[in-house]
């Protein structure tokens, strides 16, 4: 039998076993974090919320993430976005699928088999709606569509109703565009094709190329600032440049105000937070599912100037972010200066087995640092 057939049979058996709850273990009560270990929910099943983000509402944390299935096909969205709730951050209750893929309409943008990654949910105080943003790739198109999708719900756990997807800000130059960015060079943009991707991005090639269609949007996160304005931060320009785009007052579209960050920097997996009026942005490099070194930058305003600070991780395996990739930074309630770095240890061969690496962020003179710990608890922040 060919390897492909064996893998397929294994994946089917694994999925059936999983669906029947065969891999459920005795539910545990946790009182600490164990980065990289299996993390069981209230039903004794490994939490299935990859590339996720967390929203705090009415005394509970809600964790939203990619629901993966076993085998390579688990890298595509077969189910949707999973939600869990917790009051202590250690023990998580399965709240079910918050946003389901469309299993009936092949023409839906979120039809089963599309790619839904890095979902993030925010609450809009004006509309009282929960708004979910995610990276969307259309079925059968690899990662070329590079879109962001948005869905809304009246209830935090869903069901979320899919609204639409975007290539952000067509026919809008970024606020911080230079004249060079918006001007086609002598001889035309094709003269830039001899340059490396980083150099092309720095020379505005992708920005100008996508100006009429809207900018590419892949790895992303959403950030709501203290004034209630929300922003989508995403890897754009073939992942060579990050963009930050202001969202409309209802958080479901764009105002047209946006900025480019680190042109040619080649980053993805943005995770952002604010402490004492300073913004911190942690990202990874771009090596697919394989881990690489994280980097961080700080700024007094979301729109910069951003000062690059290097790798916040220290110690063994710090050059591969402890074998993981950033997903989100979680501010812990009722603790001062308490922020958790949330990252994914991807398993592209069997994505459902992907692990979560949560570590405390420490503040040092000129920035932050993140150290490995086999086990830690929120007392760390006391
Ligand atoms: C790295 C990204 O950060 C992930 O979210 C995913 O898109 C993989 N690349 C796909 O290779």
């Amino acid at each position: 039998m060919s390897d492909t057939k064996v893998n397929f049979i294994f994946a089917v058996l694994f999925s059936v076993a999983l669906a029947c709850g065969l891999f459920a273990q005795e539910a545990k009560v946790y009182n600490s974090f164990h980065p990289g270990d299996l993390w069981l929910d209230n039903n004794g099943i490994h939490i299935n919320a990859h590339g996720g983000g967390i929203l705090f509402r009415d005394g509970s944390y809600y964790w939203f993430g990619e629901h993966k299935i076993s085998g390579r096909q688990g890298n595509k969205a077969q189910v949707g976005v999973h939600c869990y709730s917790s009051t202590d951050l250690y023990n998580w209750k399965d709240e079910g699928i918050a946003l389901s893929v469309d299993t009936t309409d092949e023409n839906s943008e979120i039809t089963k088999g599309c790619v839904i990654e890095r979902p993030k949910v925010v609450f809009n105080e004006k509309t009282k709606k929960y708004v979910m943003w995610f990276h969307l790739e259309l079925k059968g198109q690899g990662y070329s569509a590079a879109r962001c999708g948005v869905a809304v719900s009246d209830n935090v756990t869903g069901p979320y109703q899919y609204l639409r997807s975007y290539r952000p800000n067509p026919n809008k130059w970024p606020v911080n565009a230079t004249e060079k960015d918006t001007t086609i060079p002598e001889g035309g943009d094709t003269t830039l094709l001899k340059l490396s991707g980083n150099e092309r991005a720095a020379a505005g090639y992708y920005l100008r190329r996508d100006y009429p269609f809207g900018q590419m949007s892949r790895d992303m996160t959403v950030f709501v600032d203290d004034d209630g304005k929300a922003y989508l931060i995403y890897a754009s320009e073939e992942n060579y440049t990050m963009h930050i785009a202001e969202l409309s007052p209802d958080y479901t579209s764009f105002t047209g105000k946006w900025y480019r960050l680190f042109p040619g920097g080649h980053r993805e997996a943005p995770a952002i937070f604010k402490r004492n009026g300073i913004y911190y942005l942690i990202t990874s490099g771009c090596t697919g599912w394989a881990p690489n070194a994280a980097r961080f930058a700080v700024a007094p305003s979301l729109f910069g100037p951003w000062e690059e600070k290097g790798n916040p991780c220290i110690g063994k395996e710090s050059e591969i972010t402890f074998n993981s990739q950033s997903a989100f930074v979680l501010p812990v309630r009722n603790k001062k200066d308490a922020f958790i770095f949330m990252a994914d240890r991807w398993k592209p061969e069997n994505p459902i087995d992907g692990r979560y690496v949560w570590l405390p962020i420490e503040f040092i003179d000129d920035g932050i640092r993140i150290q490995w710990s086999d086990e830690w608890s929120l007392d760390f922040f006391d």
Side-chain angles (χ1 to χ4, degrees), residues 51 66 68 75 115-118 135 137 143 218-220 239 267-270 284-290 292 325-326 344 346 348:
E66 304 158 25
K68 305 275 198 187
N75 294 312
V115 168
I116 292 179
E117 290 181 345
R118 299 182 176 272
H135 169 197
E137 295 293 348
Y143 277 82
R218 291 199 182 118
D219 279 11
M220 43 67 61
N239 291 347
R267 295 162 176 257
E268 54 184 6
S284 70
C286 298
T287 50
W289 298 113
N292 54 52
Q325 186 185 30
S326 43
D344 291 280
W346 303 113

Side-chain angles (χ1 to χ4, degrees), residues 126-374:
K126 291 194 193 83
T127 62
K128 304 290 175 207
K129 300 250 183 223
Y130 295 90
V131 184
M132 178 189 289
W133 282 89
F134 51 90
H135 169 197
L136 174 70
E137 295 293 348
L138 305 177
K139 186 177 178 182
Q141 298 186 22
Y143 277 82
S144 63
R147 303 182 73 82
C148 47
V150 60
V152 292
S153 174
D154 291 328
N155 304 306
V156 60
T157 55
Y160 284 75
Q161 197 194 351
Y162 180 63
L163 294 183
R164 56 164 294 178
S165 73
Y166 297 89
R167 271 289 189 97
N169 293 316
N171 297 308
K172 298 262 192 282
W173 293 117
V175 177
N176 59 348
T178 62
E179 203 182 320
K180 193 165 155 261
D181 292 337
T182 58
T183 311
I184 297 174
E186 213 170 298
D189 262 333
T190 47
T191 56
L192 301 178
L193 292 175
K194 60 179 186 295
L195 302 178
S196 69
N198 307 52
E199 290 166 335
R200 267 187 229 165
Y205 173 83
Y206 301 112
L207 170 71
R208 290 189 293 275
R209 184 194 69 182
D210 293 338
Y211 176 79
F213 316 108
Q215 300 292 324
M216 300 176 92
S217 176
R218 291 199 182 118
D219 279 11
M220 43 67 61
T221 194
V222 184
F223 179 73
V224 180
D225 211 342
D226 302 333
D227 60 3
K229 282 190 180 167
Y231 302 86
L232 190 78
I233 300 159
Y234 51 97
S236 191
E237 303 181 30
E238 305 287 354
N239 291 347
Y240 284 109
T241 302
M242 286 267 160
H243 292 178
I244 173 163
E246 187 182 83
L247 295 178
S248 58
D250 71 357
Y251 299 171
T252 67
S253 64
F254 296 91
T255 62
K257 182 179 174 193
W258 69 281
Y259 292 75
R260 290 170 87 215
L261 313 181
F262 322 114
H266 213 197
R267 295 162 176 257
E268 54 184 6
I272 190 164
F273 66 101
K274 185 180 187 181
R275 173 191 172 252
N276 294 344
I278 302 288
Y279 299 84
Y280 295 77
L281 179 63
I282 304 177
T283 62
S284 70
C286 298
T287 50
W289 298 113
N292 54 52
R295 298 176 235 177
F296 80 104
V298 296
S301 139
L302 277 176
F303 315 116
W306 284 93
E307 187 189 343
E308 306 224 26
K309 297 290 225 174
N311 187 351
C313 301
I314 58 167
K316 193 165 165 251
E317 295 207 308
S318 56
E319 73 292 352
I320 52 167
T321 318
F322 315 113
N323 195 5
S324 69
Q325 186 185 30
S326 43
F328 195 71
V329 171
L330 172 65
V332 180
R333 306 297 287 202
N334 303 323
K335 298 235 179 219
K336 195 175 173 307
D337 292 339
F339 296 87
I340 299 177
F341 174 69
M342 291 169 49
D344 291 280
R345 186 170 287 173
W346 303 113
K347 301 258 183 94
E349 308 300 327
N350 191 28
I352 192 171
D353 190 36
R355 304 299 172 88
Y356 310 101
V357 171
W358 287 25
L359 292 167
I361 293 179
E362 293 174 79
F363 294 90
I364 49 172
D365 295 347
D366 57 345
I368 55 172
R369 77 176 176 205
I370 302 169
Q371 302 192 67
W372 178 258
S373 179
D374 290 331

